[in-house]
Amino acid sequence: MLTAPDAAAGTQAPCRTLRAWLDRLAATDRLAVARPGVALRFQLAAITNRLDGRQASFFPRPDGHPVPVVSGLTSDRDWMAEAMGVAPAELLPRFQHAAAHPLPWREVNDAPVQQVVHTDVDLQRLLPLPTHNEHDSGAYITAGLLISRNPRTGIQNVTIHRLQLNAPDRLGVLLLPRHTLAYLQMAEEADEDLEIAIAIGVDPMTLLASQAIAPLDVDELEIAGALHGAPLPVVHCRTNRIRVPAEAEIVIEGRILLKAREEEGPFGEFPQYYGERAPRHVIQVDAVTHRRDAIFHTIVGGGLEHLLLGGIPREATLLAHLQRSFPSVRDVHLSKGGVCRYHLHVQMDKRSEGEAKNVILGAFGGHYDIKQVIVVDTDVNIHDPREVEWAVATRFQADRDLVVIADAQGSKLDPSTRDGLGAKMGLDATIPLDAPEMRFKRIAVPGERELVLPEVLDSGADWRQGLGL
Ligand code: MN
């Protein structure tokens, strides 16, 4: 369901800048503007969370800082489809297509993001850095696209890492065993620091592209270009060789240091628990560039913007993965209650008995984070948790339809695992193929769906006037 009255399905062009998206949100009552001077510590996150999923929030002069903050840009699935310029049902296929057909970027010399250049850097003075959750260690940059460069091939990688303010010109960074770390290990062999840049304040499609589950040496900025339907304009950094989105609001240029480690965390993460404190990698900042009237974007840990940004690219990848082996799979959804990571709903048009259990096993192989899979028939809306629960309530028997796998690899951020070792559970809530037709016939009132209520209701009427007509 589209929340914006003018958001006609699939008719607009994709949104290509943060400012264009803010205009769209503002014009449709989806951007709340706070009074100037909101506190960066907790108050900003409190307001964002209260509006989460209904309105994005904009904070002028937070703690008196001249740079405003924005949050909650993509805290609704249908908003993402709208920013992409497609109907909600086309969200995953369109993302899949973009990931499979990246569009090389276009280099420009004159970029808004380099209107102002600072080489003598004090991050806390330059940027309004908020602190979100109660036990976070301090101020973080949470919506920074960290762009690194393969030291051998020059191909770039883009992803979001949480970045803790360690010192006026140093950030702590959590590097999980993925692409940034792979590039850092290559830099280590050449005994060089890894050049990086951090882009803050990009458009919704570039944000989403940064979360694509792409192979190593696929530049996510090219997926952003494919989502835009036009090559992404990029500009050469001032102090290193990284290319950054020219239309971004703010860019931090720097290096991940080979040797340095500093304490980082705790930090409120997507499962709605804290990631632990430990010695982690360090970024030395060399420059900050920004637009003359820059906007700072922040993502509140554990909020819907955080969950959906990670969830939607995963859904697209999981759908493609399952459909390779099971053409009967129609759609997948990572539920919000399962933090858009752990619980997968699968809708399928089952053709053979037992097929749903194969789909369950296939889904576990799609990503180690998945710990619960519920498979339903095509008449069940997998985006509605109540419908999925209804299917389990009426089509599932635990002694017959439950799959449990002990001691498999899970998410280390799931506190119920033993350091990432956990169980998998699959529920086959599909109707048996040989069931008599009326046993699982869903009740329905003829004409209910097509009814236009204003045509049959008398809105001003008093019920007593209806007596004895
Ligand atoms: Mn990557």
Side-chain angles (χ1 to χ4, degrees), residues 63-133:
D63 274 344
H65 200 286
V67 176
V69 177
V70 70
S71 192
L73 296 175
T74 55
S75 60
D76 183 285
R77 181 181 189 84
D78 292 346
W79 298 8
M80 293 248 205
E82 185 186 340
M84 202 180 277
V86 300
E90 291 305 306
L91 186 62
L92 301 188
R94 179 79 188 89
F95 189 83
Q96 275 178 9
H97 187 269
H101 302 88
L103 201 56
W105 31 256
R106 169 175 68 89
E107 194 157 347
V108 298
N109 293 320
D110 204 20
V113 75
Q114 292 184 341
Q115 282 169 348
V116 182
V117 179
H118 302 270
T119 48
D120 182 20
V121 173
D122 178 344
L123 289 171
Q124 201 146 33
R125 189 177 56 78
L126 288 175
L127 303 174
L129 301 177
T131 301
H132 293 322
N133 282 297

Side-chain angles (χ1 to χ4, degrees), residues 157-158 179 214-215 218 220:
N157 186 70
V158 188
H179 297 167
V218 169
E220 286 83 359

